[in-house]
Amino acid sequence: MTASTSAVRPARPSDVAAIESFVERPAARRLYGAFDVGRLVERATVAVVAEEGGAVVAFLAVTARAPMPDTSGADGHHDASARLAWAKRTALELCSPGGTRFECGSTLWLAACATAPALQVSARAVLRRMLRECFARAPLAPRALFFAGPNAVEQTPIGSLIEKRATNTDGMTTDKSSDEKKTKFALYSCARKDVAPAPIARDARLEDYDDLFSLAAHAAAASGRGGPRAFSFGFSFEKEDGSHENENDTSTADSTLRAMSSLIAEARSASETRRVLVAVDDDAADDGASCSKIVALMAVTTEGVLEDARAWSLTHDTAAYDDFAKPEEVDPRDDEGDAEEEREETKEELRGSVPSEADRDASEEATTSSKPFEQPEPSNDTKRTRTNDAFRVVAFASLPGYDVSTAVPLLDAAFARFEEVDFCVAAVPAEAREVPFTTHEMVRVPFRPGMGAFADQVLYARHREADAPGFEIRPGAREDAAEVASLLLGTPRADAQVETFEAAAAAGYSRDEQKSVPEENASASKNASLRAFVATCDGQVVGYLVLDLAAHAFARLARRRFRLDEVVDEPDESAFALLVAYELNPVFAHRRRRVGFMLEALRLAGKACALYAHSLEEAPDENLHSDAFPEEEPRRLPDVAARDFRMARSRRLELTDPENENRDDANHALFVFTSRVAYSPRRVVDAKVLVVGGDDVALAAAETLAAHESLLFESVSLAAPAGGVYPGGFPVSSAYCSCVSSSSGSTTGHASLAKLALGLDRVAYHEADLESVVFDEASGARHARFADGGEQRFDALLLCLASRDETRRAVLGDGCDDDPDVRDTPVERLDDFVQQVSGMPREERNELVETCECVLVYGATLDALGASRTLARLGFEPGSVLRVVPEAMDITHEDEDVEGVETETRPSSERGESGVSERLASFAEWAASSTKGLGLDALSLPGQPPALRGLALAGCEACVLRSGAPGVRAYFSDTRTGAVTAVEATALLGCDERDVDQRLFAALDSFGLVTDGGVVVDGALRTNDARVFAAGDVAKFSRSVFGASKSASKPLSSTGTGGEGDQVATKPSKEKKRRKPFARAMRLRDARECGDALARAVAARFSDDSLFFDESVSSTSSMSPMRYGTETKRTRAFETTNDAPVFARARVEAVTLPSGAFFFRAATPEALAPAAEGAFGGSKFKTRTTRFNGVFCRVETDARNVIVSLSYCGRFVDARRHARCVGLPASLFFDDDDVKLLPERTFTREKESDFCEKEKEDDAFCLWSALCRPAASALFHEDFLEAFNDAKRRARTLQRDLGELKKEDIAAAAQENAIAFVGKRAAELPAYHDVLFGGGV
């Protein structure tokens, strides 16, 4: 193994087991003290691993604080503390010779190092690369690494890279035999310049032509179809005839080299305004040989910057940078005029007079000229002119691995060449890939409110003093309040923030110091847990932050409300702190100092993790109600949270009881920061991603993009259809519809919920129906147009449109909304009607309810089944709600007794794809009516008329009711006799089978997308347009998409649950079988899982340079990096991905019945669709059904006894959590020997009067109780299924030679996995136990 074949990357929690496999515990403890790998990965300042062939072979961790040495010696902890104090004191003397000031963050300490035995040959070279990576990822630019420990470290691979600097004489003993002293403890160090020397920047020369070829070749590859981490922009390639290369041409190294040479020649002819700099690396190779090569090139200019700055100010907030211009005095006499004017103004103020008209005009003119939007042209009367104060980066190229390390030397050299300017600017096209030196060493200039979607460029800036020495971080003091107030001048709520800082600063004093706190700061006692910290540069406060150290209770709630475990592996809740406020001067707010400030404050506070709760809007100040105090804009997401924190995905839709107003739900988005998050920065993606949809697919896709672990999407927009988003389904039919609703049934808060779930500033929100998608042949841009006239350009379009009831267009025609004759006919979707009524003023709503004669609810779906309760919550009388069911309800449950097990035969002809929801609604009615304690009373409200069944809607027309109010006359045809019945009503509400709007399909078809009953996608969820993706109801897999091979490492289980171990009962097959028609339709899968899969597919495409980066370089911009996905044709044939994603979750459909009882069914696609021949060993599922204490429960299993369906009716429970048992073996919950099965009765119902209760006595065994026993709570954790399948794969590997897995093997694997799983997640499981036990029997 050589160093060049190994890859160095940040350590992850998943690496802990691999690292511990080669760590020699006794030796590691003697060298480094406590060697807790998991703790180091999460809390170390930087922790990296080296990989070889996918296996971890080395581990290295460094910390900002000196680690405690081994405490297992004779003197134990006392001796270790003394040695630690000596090491810190000696290191300080070495870093600050002669009493010079010690800079914060200038040192690191080696905390752990371990290598695998296979790495011994090249261990030194690999560890050298790992040290270089640690220095590069550490904040605040440390200059030295120290290690304090026994001299035995010199015999380890890391010992050859560190140098002994001092010995501890107190730790020396005498060997009597040799009478020689042996050192037991010493201090070692390693300078940054020895392992990671900074490249040397100089002016480029024409004689560098040959040396630039390697750089040009990488730049050409990067600007073509994606190079291996090579970065390039700003080069314009021309052919011999002078024309630019078109999109079909590929950039070559020769053309890139010519462009570089042209830049160098132009800079030599205009050296005052242009410069081309190169970075030369004189580092020694890993084998000791010296080498010198050009590793980066940067071209800068001051030409045209002032004009560009005026354009930038239209879309970006450049006020903090003085609009990259500075005033220059042109006439000394102007000073006298200014003084005279100031004296006249003072006189006017003293006399109390009103300024003259001329003065007001002059004041308005001065105000106007200060606005960045309008820069008036200079005139003879202008006293001051604006001159350029910035140079611009117009071209950059680097070799792989030098993208960031070369930035500071090149920028410093550029500032040295342009001494008259203070800023460096880089304008990156919004569709470009990340330019790392801009995101790491420069500050992103924020967009003006609402301008992010329209900006073509992303602006970065850097001040020449960005890395000024003397940057210190310390606890805040009361004396700093004045400087903090100056820092916050002009920001919203500045006074309140200063008060918070003063309270936190006072709370940080000792008790004796607090006695001297003035009375006006007595509020500090109420904020005893707050601590303030300030960042200073040369003694001046340039930033501050406030932490709440008593965050353990908040962290406990955060675990329940958010997927905190996905971001941080920190079981200790006392290690959390809550970020209350943060501000840092933009001059110093580049990533290294921004992150360093946060990390050092956490270290001083003794915490390991920071949480930031970002609410939708702050509570208004009670004192600000007058017109003199205008309403303040909502709090914006701090830059450190937006850039450096990780957003945690919410569990909001899983913890909501629609009948309980005191719900346990979060009213904020959560962002998390740890050392691991800090040293693993995400790659920035500025491409415009547009998510179109309003259900869980769209919400999950947008949220997953916002919370992505490795990509930071800066421009994600959610365009929900008119009516807003519908979490959990549709607002009226969903069991979770009231998660943001009041008791009156209002659903106006769904947009707020979407913004909360998506982190507000992370995702823009727009509400309008998609009308068309267009392609601009000239520019290659794609735009989505909406019904409200809006238009939005996109680089990636995610279609997540849900199917909805189409009764209105079915009976009134596709042009009903445009036809004035039928436009006002009161035929609406149920959810649209509820949305409209909920938004009415109370008086108008009451009038509508009182004058309502009849409301027709049409459909045989769960939506229709729960409609009467929804309307009753709006105030409608139960007697005015009439259900019309098109289904004749002639459903027969055939019973067969097979070995004492109750089974149900379900022929494919009776379970067609179009009848799933119809049969489900009928099944829900049967489940409730046949259960003692529920019965017929659960299906209707008192006074509600019986439903009309077997009537299909044939047509309708507007009419005038008996009361004189407008209404609708609906005509229904009897499905058996053909007789027509007319019914008049105030409104007809459609709740029939859902479908995607056919007009949308027509619009997508005109754009060129392939449709076949749905938008056709490949296994990567891409359409035939590389920029358009689709998932959910609107999508359908292509016929060319195969299911995963049964012999693959991660095959699709036959239950559709992604359980790889489920396939072991079948012989491996090399052939792939095409998906059945029902498997191609994505609507049978869990909506949130579809959204997650869609987001990760899009993220994978943005990570894959070869698919998304443009091979074209023809751009008129002076800085034109590779662009995403500009194809030569509007549509192109994509490289088809035949392996579809693995879906593991069951699809959940739920409804709250009129009585308040709750019904849900969770099932795999196979359980919802026609049974595939041979897929489960036949066409039958084994069915177990019990009714106990008013709870109906049915479990269906396949031939391997894996649960494929769970049905429940009873009190409200968390359906999403209980659905997680689908895909697990039934033996984990109960044994067939424990189930006392009673023969099931057959129910044939043709009319409402035949709904007689046939109550049976409670069964002796209750399936629901078996599922909900506290001992099984870990099985319902969202990560258990994946962990269980991993355990089965391990067991299968061990038993590979013994044939298929037996029942005992599965049980042993489950037990082993459960023990490890519960041990790791013990803090989270009580929440699952509470929900399960509270929702059980």
Side-chain angles (χ1 to χ4, degrees), residues 115 216 317 388 593 659 730 795 848 1012 1138 1271:
T115 57
D317 186 6
N388 178 39
R593 287 196 166 174
E659 305 299 326
F730 294 89
D795 297 302
L848 174 63
D1012 179 20
N1138 286 334

Side-chain angles (χ1 to χ4, degrees), residues 1279-1294:
D1279 295 333
F1280 182 81
L1281 179 61
E1282 180 181 358
F1284 177 76
N1285 289 331
D1286 289 340
K1288 287 195 295 183
R1289 280 197 298 272
R1290 291 194 298 268
R1292 182 178 60 180
T1293 301
L1294 295 176

Side-chain angles (χ1 to χ4, degrees), residues 266-267 269-275 300-304 391-392 418 420:
E266 292 173 0
S269 62
S271 59
E272 294 183 359
T273 58
R274 297 184 183 184
R275 290 282 183 167
V300 295
T301 183
T302 59
E303 298 175 2
F391 64 84
R392 179 177 179 179
F418 299 114
E420 71 280 2

Side-chain angles (χ1 to χ4, degrees), residues 67-95:
M68 177 66 72
D70 182 22
T71 60
S72 61
D75 296 329
H77 190 83
H78 181 271
D79 187 27
S81 299
R83 287 181 290 177
L84 177 63
W86 169 82
K88 293 165 64 176
R89 183 173 59 254
T90 305
L92 183 61
E93 294 173 355
L94 293 174
C95 292

Side-chain angles (χ1 to χ4, degrees), residues 1034-1052:
V1034 75
K1036 191 174 187 179
F1037 284 115
S1038 169
R1039 296 178 185 273
S1040 62
V1041 175
F1042 294 86
S1045 172
K1046 293 181 179 181
S1047 60
S1049 60
K1050 289 187 177 182
L1052 256 162

